[in-house]
Amino acid sequence: EILVATSVEQLTQAVRTIFNHMRRIRNAVQYPLWRAYHLVEAVSRDLAAQLLKILSTQRLMQQEAELFSQNMAHCADLFRVWNDEVGQFRQLVREQLKKRGNNE
């Protein structure tokens, strides 16, 4: 969903969807936790690339102040959602490490 998003709002929704799916790691005992961290890193790279792609099509410095403020509010919301989701995921991985033992 991230790679086909055409707006910052779609990116925000894609981040929520991806992390909702990744919470299933709680039930996937066979999935190595270190791979989950690498997956989050890959999602982060894709998110950054797509955000740059979306924003580069807009002439931010030539927009009306209200439209610019809306765009920046959408970006702030995206970063807030990312931060919240990564924090929750990090906590989930910590809990899983405790349950599985620290062999990962």
Side-chain angles (χ1 to χ4, degrees), residues 21-36:
H21 182 73
M22 289 179 67
R23 284 189 189 95
R24 295 180 186 173
I25 196 171
R26 180 179 305 134
N27 301 325
V29 179
Q30 300 296 325
Y31 195 77
L33 296 174
W34 61 267
R35 280 188 89 185

Side-chain angles (χ1 to χ4, degrees), residues 18-64:
I18 289 168
F19 278 97
N20 281 337
H21 182 73
M22 289 179 67
R23 284 189 189 95
R24 295 180 186 173
I25 196 171
R26 180 179 305 134
N27 301 325
V29 179
Q30 300 296 325
Y31 195 77
L33 296 174
W34 61 267
R35 280 188 89 185
Y37 268 119
H38 288 292
L39 180 58
V40 170
E41 289 174 357
V43 169
S44 176
R45 281 190 303 272
D46 289 346
L47 177 65
Q50 193 65 16
L51 181 60
L52 283 173
K53 185 177 176 182
I54 290 169
L55 292 179
S56 69
T57 63
Q58 302 176 17
R59 296 177 177 226
L60 295 173
M61 298 308 289
Q62 296 174 353
Q63 291 179 348
E64 296 291 325

Side-chain angles (χ1 to χ4, degrees), residues 3 11 32 72 78:
L3 298 178
L11 282 176
M72 292 306 99
L78 172 62

